[in-house]
Amino acid sequence: NAGVTQTPKFQVLKTGQSMTLQCAQDMNHEYMSWYRQDPGMGLRLIHYSVGAGITDQGEVPNGYNVSRSTTEDFPLRLLSAAPSQTSVYFCASSPPSWPRGLSGYTFGSGTRLTVV
Amino acid sequence: SQQGEEDPQALSIQEGENATMNCSYKTSINNLQWYRQNSGRGLVHLILIRSNEREKHSGRLRVTLDTSKKSSSLLITASRAADTASYFCALRGTGNQFYFGTGTSLTVIP
């Protein structure tokens, strides 16, 4: 089924460990983003990409790296996990908004990360 | 802040009633979108309204936008228990990034 696939669904890390959250979409969407969702704080944008080879920072980029070597994949790397990074992480993608019209995001089902 | 702010934070209604939630924002926008999130799931896009539109309908959903007041409302008519979810407004930034508010938690009591 077409959509956004995130792996893993659940992960427990120890402080200081590193890991990569995977995100893949098969809709040929150019735009992809990573959000984290914390209770009472809504979704906050971590990093986004407007196409292969192009990434930019969002609201809360510290402690995270991204790369976009292909249109399909947009992995999020935690460099040295901290308890403050305990959250639910969502990847989302959308086709470009101009000139082909405006569109919303398609979200993945999320990765629930706990850092102990 | 580029985020929208939803109001109320929580809303509880009886099945069959209408539910109204609001989104206020501070920046100029290109468009505003509403999303639904069921518990433990990702967000689902509901409806998009452009800055030059004032009202839009989709099934039981009605969205209004008042750019002079920098506010939008989402009305769900004849609510059902399956409408129980959190609802978020999202504002598009100058690029294609979207900024989400903290959401309204809607509970529809059967």
Side-chain angles (χ1 to χ4, degrees), chain A residues 22-79:
Chain A
Q22 302 291 343
C23 175
Q25 53 89 11
D26 56 2
M27 299 171 285
N28 202 32
H29 284 175
E30 294 185 15
Y31 295 102
M32 297 185 74
S33 298
W34 276 101
Y35 291 87
R36 60 177 289 174
Q37 185 175 31
D38 302 293
M41 301 194 71
L43 281 84
R44 291 183 290 171
L45 180 64
I46 304 172
H47 285 285
Y48 65 99
S49 169
V50 298
I54 306 171
T55 63
D56 208 343
Q57 297 181 350
E59 304 166 272
V60 288
N62 292 341
Y64 307 95
N65 273 357
V66 291
S67 60
R68 186 93 180 272
S69 57
T70 66
T71 299
E72 294 78 19
D73 300 300
F74 191 42
L76 177 72
R77 297 183 186 85
L78 279 69
L79 309 173

Side-chain angles (χ1 to χ4, degrees), chain B residues 7 17 22 69 93 108:
Chain B
D7 173 69
E17 294 181 336
N22 304 295
K69 295 181 179 179
V108 181

Side-chain angles (χ1 to χ4, degrees), chain B residues 23-28 65-72:
Chain B
C23 173
S24 59
Y25 57 92
K26 296 180 180 178
T27 62
S28 297
L65 179 64
D66 187 333
T67 53
S68 66
K69 295 181 179 179
K70 289 186 164 54
S71 68
S72 174

Side-chain angles (χ1 to χ4, degrees), chain B residues 53-93:
Chain B
E53 297 176 314
R54 292 296 168 258
E55 186 171 312
K56 203 162 183 179
H57 296 256
S58 177
R60 294 185 294 112
L61 305 180
R62 173 178 166 245
V63 169
T64 62
L65 179 64
D66 187 333
T67 53
S68 66
K69 295 181 179 179
K70 289 186 164 54
S71 68
S72 174
S73 67
L74 171 67
L75 169 68
I76 304 173
T77 60
S79 63
R80 305 166 182 168
D83 295 328
T84 293
S86 292
Y87 292 82
F88 295 85
C89 65
L91 311 178
R92 183 182 168 211

Side-chain angles (χ1 to χ4, degrees), chain A residues 31 33 35 37 40-45 48 50 59 90 94-97 101-105 107-109 112, chain B residues 1-3 30-31 33 35 37 40-45 48 50 88 92 95-103:
Chain A
Y31 295 102
S33 298
Y35 291 87
Q37 185 175 31
M41 301 194 71
L43 281 84
R44 291 183 290 171
L45 180 64
Y48 65 99
V50 298
E59 304 166 272
F90 288 101
S94 79
S97 292
L102 301 174
S103 177
Y105 268 137
F107 276 80
S109 57
R112 188 174 296 273
Chain B
S1 171
Q2 301 188 58
Q3 288 181 316
N30 183 291
N31 67 66
Q33 307 188 11
Y35 288 78
Q37 183 181 34
R41 309 292 293 273
L43 279 74
V44 174
H45 179 250
L48 178 153
R50 304 182 190 196
F88 295 85
R92 183 182 168 211
N96 198 51
Q97 64 274 33
F98 289 99
Y99 296 93
F100 289 81
T102 55

